[in-house]
Amino acid sequence: MRGWWREIVGLVLPVACGGCGRPRTELCLECAVGLASGPRRVRPAPEPDGLPVVHAAAPYENAVRAMLLAHKERGALGLAGVLGCALAAAVRAGAGHGGEAGPLLLVPVPSARRATAGRGHDPVRRIAAAAAAELRRGGARAGLLAVLRQRRAVADQAGLGARDRQTNMAGALVVAAGGRKLLDGGRVVLVDDLLTTGATLAEAARAVRAARPPGMGAAEGLRAAVVAASPSAFEINRN
């Protein structure tokens, strides 16, 4: 019955791979493999002050770029699962072991209210929720902790250079008052869908650190993970 219904839906609402556009599949095997190339540490250049150690699942190019854009801008919500699995792999690579230190707390970078309203969903939060679920399926203690808020409007980052992005994001984020104690409940991992200049994650890290005094759990050993990063940010591509 389920297969029959899927066939009917495919005729009425044609499905195409979110990575390459191949028809009648939301994600083909070849594009899925592109997300499973192995997470690595990434560093933008120049590296903004305060940026925590960041791991990314894949370079932001080709099918990976297409999938992220399809999920974020075109409402291909079915891709959240595979993108979440990729993010979970990046989280594992950065957090390592050490379950005795407490659960992994995935803190998503918040989208602007206007962007969320326009898209009809918060893409980073959706991917982060899928990543937390994947981590739990793998036996890790993990949860979603959406405690970051925008306290002022920011300009669209598209088209801005590294320095302008840092200026645009400076002081833009804050931890909600009710979230400060929650941050001490485990190992905080800031998560986003994409890293380009690192300005957004650096600001998110500043906000988390500011929410707790030095020496208090959340500020110590802060890590970050993303689904994808600019190819130039992968250390393997550097001389």
Side-chain angles (χ1 to χ4, degrees), residues 90-104:
V91 171
R92 289 191 197 99
H97 301 290
E100 71 283 353
L104 292 165

Side-chain angles (χ1 to χ4, degrees), residues 14-148:
V15 175
C17 173
C20 66
R22 184 175 299 171
R24 302 186 67 77
T25 177
E26 194 163 44
L27 182 66
C28 72
L29 179 60
E30 184 176 344
C31 290
V33 169
L35 276 172
S37 58
R40 296 190 180 96
R41 185 176 177 183
V42 290
R43 288 180 177 173
E47 186 173 346
D49 292 340
L51 182 70
V53 171
V54 186
H55 282 74
Y60 185 63
E61 59 187 358
N62 304 325
V64 173
R65 179 179 183 275
M67 281 185 275
L68 282 173
L69 289 175
H71 176 261
K72 177 184 285 187
E73 305 296 351
R74 297 196 295 279
L77 304 186
L79 293 173
V82 69
L83 294 173
C85 287
L87 180 59
V91 171
R92 289 191 197 99
H97 301 290
E100 71 283 353
L104 292 165
L105 303 177
L106 275 54
V107 178
V109 171
S111 299
R113 290 182 181 179
R114 182 171 58 183
T116 299
R119 293 170 179 144
H121 74 120
D122 185 330
V124 175
R125 184 166 179 168
R126 185 179 293 274
I127 294 172
E134 172 65 15
L135 289 165
R136 290 193 296 270
R137 282 192 292 270
R141 291 185 295 158
L144 179 67
L145 196 59
V147 296
L148 285 174

Side-chain angles (χ1 to χ4, degrees), residues 1 91 234:
M1 182 70 172
V91 171
F234 276 77

Side-chain angles (χ1 to χ4, degrees), residues 156-178:
D156 188 345
Q157 297 273 73
L160 297 180
R163 182 171 298 179
D164 288 338
R165 287 190 179 209
Q166 291 178 42
T167 300
N168 184 43
M169 290 302 303
L173 301 180
V174 65
V175 172

Side-chain angles (χ1 to χ4, degrees), residues 134-204:
E134 172 65 15
L135 289 165
R136 290 193 296 270
R137 282 192 292 270
R141 291 185 295 158
L144 179 67
L145 196 59
V147 296
L148 285 174
R149 304 285 185 271
Q150 285 196 343
R151 61 179 175 186
R152 65 168 176 80
V154 296
D156 188 345
Q157 297 273 73
L160 297 180
R163 182 171 298 179
D164 288 338
R165 287 190 179 209
Q166 291 178 42
T167 300
N168 184 43
M169 290 302 303
L173 301 180
V174 65
V175 172
R180 295 183 178 183
K181 290 184 179 180
L182 297 175
L183 288 170
D184 288 331
R187 293 172 288 161
V188 174
V189 183
L190 300 169
V191 295
D192 205 349
D193 57 351
L194 173 65
L195 176 139
T196 49
T197 67
T200 301
L201 282 174
E203 170 57 18

